[in-house]
Amino acid sequence: MSDAAIITTNNVNLWYNEKQALQSVSIKIPKNRVTSLIGPSGCGKSTLLRCFNRLNDLIDNVKITGEIKLDDENIHAPATDVVTLRKKVGMVFQKPNPFPKTIYENVAYGPRVHGIKDKVQLDKIVEESLRHAAIWDEVKERLNDSALGLSGGQQQRLCIARTLAVEPEVILMDEPCSALDPIATAKIENLIERLKEDYTVIIVTHNMQQAARVSDYTGFMYLGKLIECGKTGQIFEHPKEELTENYITGRFG
Amino acid sequence: MAEKFHTELEKLKADTLEMAHLGRFMLRTAVDALIRQDAELAASVVAQKEEIHRMEVRLEEHCYHLIALNQPMARDMRFIACTLKVITASLRLGRYGKVIANIVKEISDKPHIANLMSIPHMADLVIDMVDDAVASYGSDNLRLIDDFSSRDDTVDALRHSIFREGITYMMEDPKNISRCTHYIMVARYLERCADHACKIAENVQYMETGERVEIH
């Protein structure tokens, strides 16, 4: 990969109790690019994604070895502040999960937690985040309405706005469109394309066409291993590994 | 769903091979008709024009349909891309067969000059290339096409030789001009058929390896 890396993993192994979910995964995630992780269910792609903001810490009996660096800092080092890490590495989940609060409060919540109290500054952050997430025009007249009244696609973009509000460097997306209809999916995909100007996006998706459409780089995982990672055009046109070829042509998985 | 798609790809391959064999058959039969000065045989080639056109349309539509409904990737995508090229090349082979067959009608009244010069030999080489290119598409066997560059050079050299020889006979006697011009044109068509065989070979190479090669 020729682009500069923002996240680098080196020989990462992960066990849930006795079960090994990641095996010697070494990958470089290029900065300001979209990288997608594909592979059959249970291949470890979501587990790998959750390593990048230490979300696996929340699960009992998880053991991780190897090195994961964000901006050359080991994110598993004892000195790493997990709250700061998760500010730098935001996450959007499969099912939109807005807080049961107003649209405004959903976006303002993160900056408030990180100490911003000034109303004018919060207003600015909320508007900019909603604009960045391509939902401002749809919600600007009803910022004080409940976020739960939005459609699924709007809720997902609100969740992206909520992530952007704390100015992350990396945005992790775990199947962000799988609960959305094709129109809402197209809006999220257009948004991902714009987001890479300012952020690094890593997306886990079952949908290979989506990976092909939105990402610059694609990694294929199988049984906990990273089988192949390269430019998306190369992976989908002529992958180097037969396993990748067989998976993306639907011969298994 | 993938299984159904792959079954469809197998069927597409079988149908494309059938079309390629028809294109090859039209070319071979036209050359035989030329050698034997058999206007009736030549007419049978011209009559197959509609059939090969129908096949082209039907197979191309099948390709587009498979692309639209399955968004093929990797090997499957490369297979369909290659198949579209094989379809085009097969149509061209058939059409050159038809064009040569039309020439037969015009020059079967008098004996050939110099036993058609090197045209029969050139035609054998070209049709062997077509056979190997089509067989490599059908069997994924790249060894059949690994010497295509030198075989194409031989065909080019024969075309040049027929051109030179034709000019010589024309200079000897202006009455030969019409007939020799047809020979030169046939040599040119055969050379183009070898180029189409090379195109198929290039695309089979891409289908198999993902690497683009150019056969000169």
Side-chain angles (χ1 to χ4, degrees):
Chain A
M1 291 188 190
S2 50
D3 294 308
I6 186 166
I7 292 177
T8 308
T9 79
N10 193 10
N11 268 323
V12 170
N13 292 280
L14 183 146
W15 289 263
Y16 294 121
N17 293 313
E18 299 301 310
K19 187 183 180 320
Q20 188 165 5
L22 294 177
Q23 292 186 40
S24 302
V25 174
S26 297
I27 188 171
K28 287 182 175 164
I29 306 291
K31 193 173 179 174
N32 289 107
R33 295 284 180 268
V34 180
T35 301
S36 58
L37 297 173
I38 60 168
S41 299
C43 70
K45 55 192 188 298
S46 289
T47 298
L48 179 62
L49 194 76
R50 295 155 73 94
C51 285
F52 297 146
N53 65 351
R54 285 182 56 178
L55 218 54
N56 291 313
D57 289 12
L58 305 174
I59 301 168
D60 290 338
N61 300 321
V62 168
K63 182 184 156 200
I64 303 175
T65 63
E67 192 176 56
I68 304 174
K69 282 183 170 178
L70 170 69
D71 291 329
D72 279 334
E73 284 180 31
N74 186 352
I75 67 169
H76 281 99
T80 301
D81 174 14
V82 178
V83 175
T84 310
L85 171 69
R86 292 189 187 139
K87 179 176 179 294
K88 282 187 186 173
V89 185
M91 188 150 185
V92 177
F93 296 86
Q94 181 172 7
K95 201 160 166 262
N97 55 353
F99 302 134
K101 292 170 176 287
T102 65
I103 293 167
Y104 182 96
E105 286 303 322
N106 261 275
V107 184
Y109 189 87
R112 275 212 187 96
V113 167
H114 290 286
I116 296 172
K117 305 279 185 227
D118 179 56
K119 177 81 170 77
V120 176
Q121 200 183 348
L122 278 175
D123 285 353
K124 187 164 172 277
I125 291 171
V126 168
E127 179 174 342
E128 279 178 1
S129 303
L130 290 167
R131 279 189 189 281
H132 244 109
I135 191 179
W136 172 251
D137 288 339
E138 293 165 56
V139 299
K140 64 185 175 190
E141 306 295 338
R142 48 176 174 146
L143 292 175
N144 292 317
D145 290 0
S146 168
L148 301 178
L150 297 172
S151 72
Q154 288 172 326
Q155 286 187 8
Q156 194 62 305
R157 278 179 285 145
L158 176 67
C159 291
I160 293 172
R162 188 176 65 188
T163 305
L164 301 182
V166 295
E167 298 181 328
E169 293 177 33
V170 179
I171 303 168
L172 310 177
M173 297 186 173
D174 194 351
E175 298 277 6
C177 301
S178 61
L180 306 181
D181 66 41
I183 294 170
T185 297
K187 285 186 179 167
I188 301 280
E189 288 181 0
N190 290 337
L191 175 58
I192 291 170
E193 177 66 23
R194 285 200 297 277
L195 286 176
K196 73 178 180 187
E197 289 171 19
D198 300 306
Y199 310 94
T200 300
V201 179
I202 311 173
I203 176 170
V204 160
T205 176
H206 272 104
N207 182 332
M208 280 182 286
Q209 278 73 34
Q210 180 172 65
R213 282 193 299 269
V214 305
S215 60
D216 302 294
Y217 293 90
T218 297
F220 167 61
M221 295 187 68
Y222 184 63
L223 299 178
K225 292 179 184 159
L226 179 71
I227 304 297
E228 184 170 359
C229 188
K231 290 198 168 170
T232 296
Q234 178 253 314
I235 295 287
F236 287 105
E237 192 184 338
H238 50 100
K240 291 191 178 79
E241 300 295 328
E242 196 178 349
L243 209 51
T244 316
E245 175 108 23
N246 288 342
Y247 178 70
I248 64 176
T249 56
R251 285 174 170 83
F252 76 87
Chain B
M1 288 311 291
E3 202 174 316
K4 183 179 167 222
F5 174 54
H6 292 126
T7 309
E8 291 250 5
L9 291 184
E10 285 301 316
K11 176 163 175 17
L12 175 66
K13 188 180 200 174
D15 291 348
T16 305
L17 283 170
E18 192 186 327
M19 180 182 174
H21 291 143
L22 176 61
R24 183 262 189 215
F25 177 78
M26 289 172 71
L27 182 65
R28 176 76 257 177
T29 309
V31 172
D32 288 344
L34 178 70
I35 294 168
R36 306 210 295 260
Q37 298 191 296
D38 185 338
E40 206 174 311
L41 189 60
S44 76
V45 174
V46 177
Q48 285 173 310
K49 174 182 77 170
E50 302 297 334
E51 172 62 11
I52 200 160
H53 271 285
R54 272 197 299 274
M55 282 178 134
E56 182 214 14
V57 172
R58 183 167 55 79
L59 289 175
E60 279 191 2
E61 278 176 0
H62 194 183
C63 290
Y64 301 147
H65 182 79
L66 289 172
I67 292 169
L69 298 188
N70 298 281
Q71 295 96 42
M73 289 175 172
R75 189 185 163 78
D76 296 339
M77 183 279 291
R78 301 198 307 270
F79 168 73
I80 295 180
C82 177
T83 297
L84 281 164
K85 296 285 187 183
V86 174
I87 292 166
T88 303
S90 303
L91 177 74
R92 296 279 175 235
L93 294 173
R95 285 177 59 133
Y96 281 123
K98 184 206 79 176
V99 175
I100 293 171
N102 280 331
I103 289 174
V104 175
K105 286 190 273 180
E106 299 200 20
I107 60 171
S108 45
D109 55 331
K110 285 185 194 160
H112 282 308
I113 298 167
N115 284 329
L116 266 177
M117 301 184 271
S118 307
I119 286 177
H121 175 57
M122 183 183 182
D124 287 344
L125 295 183
V126 169
I127 288 165
D128 280 351
M129 286 177 75
V130 170
D131 283 342
D132 285 342
V134 172
S136 72
Y137 167 76
S139 65
D140 311 334
N141 181 355
L142 292 179
R143 276 188 309 170
L144 294 169
I145 53 174
D146 61 5
D147 56 352
F148 260 39
S149 186
S150 67
R151 289 162 79 175
D152 192 46
D153 288 346
T154 307
V155 169
D156 287 349
L158 279 168
R159 186 202 61 81
H160 189 62
S161 149
I162 290 166
F163 174 77
R164 294 280 301 270
E165 202 175 345
I167 295 287
T168 309
Y169 287 114
M170 289 186 212
M171 287 165 70
E172 257 178 35
D173 184 351
K175 288 197 193 77
N176 292 334
I177 288 177
S178 169
R179 189 165 290 265
C180 287
T181 305
H182 283 309
Y183 293 166
I184 289 169
M185 292 305 289
V186 169
R188 169 70 181 146
Y189 300 147
L190 289 171
E191 185 212 351
R192 290 295 300 139
C193 289
D195 290 344
H196 285 298
C198 289
K199 261 286 168 250
I200 293 175
E202 287 172 3
N203 279 281
V204 171
Q205 181 87 28
Y206 172 67
M207 173 177 82
E208 284 300 306
T209 65
E211 302 293 327
R212 304 304 307 258
V213 294
E214 202 173 336
I215 299 170
H216 296 286

